[in-house]
Amino acid sequence: MAGGPLTNTAVPLSTSLTLQSLNGLFAIYKKQGPTSADVLNKLKEVLLKEAGVKNPNPRKRKKQNLKMGHGGTLDSAASGVLVVGVGHGTKMLSTMLAGSKKYVAVGELGKATDTLDATGSVIQEKDFDHVTKADLEEKLKAFTGDIMQVPPLYSALKKDGQRLSVLLKKGHKVEAKPARPVTVYNLSLQGFNPPHFTLDIECGGGFYVRSLVDDLGKALSSCAHVKELIRTKQGQFTLEEHALREEQWTLEHIVRTMQPCEVPKSEPPSNRSKTLKETNRLDKEKAE
């Protein structure tokens, strides 16, 4: 997904396409509240209904022809760009995990939470009156470039096959993962209105904005948590140009914005002929 602008598929919108014939990547807008998995299941449900499936259950993976996944989980409290892979596009999602991402984050000084964001319980309160805009801008320099970062306890990272966040909610004791290398390409202060401050962030894969804000609060001899988080770019997909809002979750809009991928020649001929037959059948039904 590196380099070059996105290109639209050349498939005429008048052509009836089965969901199974879609192969590529596109972006949707994830609103604040639901998990990334919830949003993906909602998208599947909408598309399956459009395809004429009665009482679709997107959580059932068996006997389901619609292969879909997302790359780069957004926290439930976060919003913004979520890249979706469909068909063979799901195999391209690993590039979304490693590629460049951009965020706008609003942090709040003086309060630390167990989740490092506004969804958690306040576990510490400290004075922040001494923090100035100049202090913040100076401390940001230490968090730019190749740095080491400890991921949050409440995260999608797993231990023994289960997410750390799930284990914590079940009452299990969880140890923090060791610090790991991450890259911050650009980091700047966009606004400072104590106790709130706004950061513009461009980073690589594996980076946690919540950890950055928590570490920044400590570096300022105070504490902080993320109050609001918006992902504005993931790979080549931007919030303004590519992210489909819920009312745009239709086959037509997906075809217009999808970055297609090649179907491997090694795919069994039976699968390809099945998709072709299904497409022809729908074309015939539409003509009638």
Side-chain angles (χ1 to χ4, degrees):
M1 288 300 296
L6 288 176
T7 57
N8 292 334
T9 57
V11 181
L13 294 178
S14 59
T15 303
S16 291
L17 294 171
T18 63
L19 294 177
Q20 296 94 327
S21 70
L22 293 180
N23 293 282
L25 298 174
F26 61 97
I28 62 173
Y29 172 75
K30 178 201 169 300
K31 63 183 179 182
Q32 193 177 31
T35 66
S36 294
D38 289 339
V39 172
L40 186 67
N41 284 327
K42 176 65 176 177
L43 172 66
K44 282 184 182 179
E45 184 178 359
V46 170
L47 293 177
L48 287 170
K49 282 183 177 180
E50 183 183 351
V53 178
K54 294 182 179 180
N55 302 317
N57 185 350
R59 289 171 175 78
K60 277 191 176 182
R61 296 189 178 183
K62 290 184 178 180
K63 298 181 181 180
Q64 199 175 99
N65 293 324
L66 181 56
K67 184 180 180 183
M68 190 175 284
H70 67 78
T73 301
L74 270 176
D75 296 331
S76 58
S79 63
V81 177
L82 185 68
V83 175
V84 175
V86 60
H88 289 282
T90 56
K91 297 180 181 180
M92 300 169 64
L93 288 172
S94 58
T95 60
M96 291 297 101
L97 298 174
S100 170
K101 306 170 183 68
K102 287 185 178 181
Y103 297 89
V104 173
V106 177
E108 181 175 344
L109 290 164
K111 293 180 181 179
T113 70
D114 52 2
T115 60
L116 310 188
D117 65 14
T119 66
S121 302
V122 176
I123 57 174
Q124 185 183 33
E125 293 190 51
K126 296 186 74 173
D127 179 62
F128 59 87
D129 291 340
H130 61 282
V131 179
T132 66
K133 182 180 179 181
D135 291 334
L136 249 173
E137 290 177 325
E138 182 61 31
K139 293 299 182 184
L140 289 180
K141 295 176 183 178
F143 295 99
T144 305
D146 295 325
I147 63 172
M148 298 297 290
Q149 185 186 69
V150 177
L153 283 177
Y154 282 86
S155 69
L157 297 179
K158 294 182 178 180
K159 177 186 178 183
D160 301 327
Q162 291 197 61
R163 291 189 175 191
L164 297 184
S165 56
V166 173
L167 291 172
L168 284 166
K169 289 175 182 176
K170 289 181 178 179
H172 294 282
K173 187 176 181 180
V174 176
E175 293 184 2
K177 293 282 186 179
R180 58 187 187 178
V182 293
T183 302
V184 180
Y185 302 108
N186 292 291
L187 179 58
S188 60
L189 181 66
Q190 298 299 310
F192 183 62
N193 185 23
H196 301 127
F197 59 93
T198 303
L199 301 176
D200 196 12
I201 306 156
E202 182 177 7
C203 58
F207 181 84
Y208 280 89
V209 176
R210 286 181 290 140
S211 290
L212 165 69
V213 171
D214 182 63
D215 290 340
L216 185 58
K218 293 173 182 175
L220 291 163
S221 300
S222 182
C223 56
H225 69 276
V226 173
K227 184 176 177 64
E228 184 180 351
L229 181 63
I230 304 171
R231 182 155 65 198
T232 59
K233 178 179 177 291
Q234 187 177 8
Q236 293 185 24
F237 297 91
T238 65
L239 182 59
E240 290 185 359
E241 295 181 27
H242 309 111
L244 299 176
R245 303 279 169 162
E246 195 165 336
E247 63 272 15
Q248 299 173 311
W249 291 359
T250 66
L251 186 58
E252 179 178 339
H253 281 97
I254 290 171
V255 169
R256 285 186 182 277
T257 61
M258 188 174 67
Q259 176 74 7
C261 70
E262 293 291 330
V263 177
K265 293 181 180 179
S266 59
E267 181 180 335
S270 58
N271 286 356
R272 279 198 252 189
S273 64
K274 181 180 178 182
T275 300
L276 182 59
K277 287 178 182 178
E278 183 68 10
T279 302
N280 290 337
R281 182 182 67 80
L282 285 181
D283 281 341
K284 184 177 179 181
E285 288 178 358
K286 186 175 181 181
E288 292 172 350

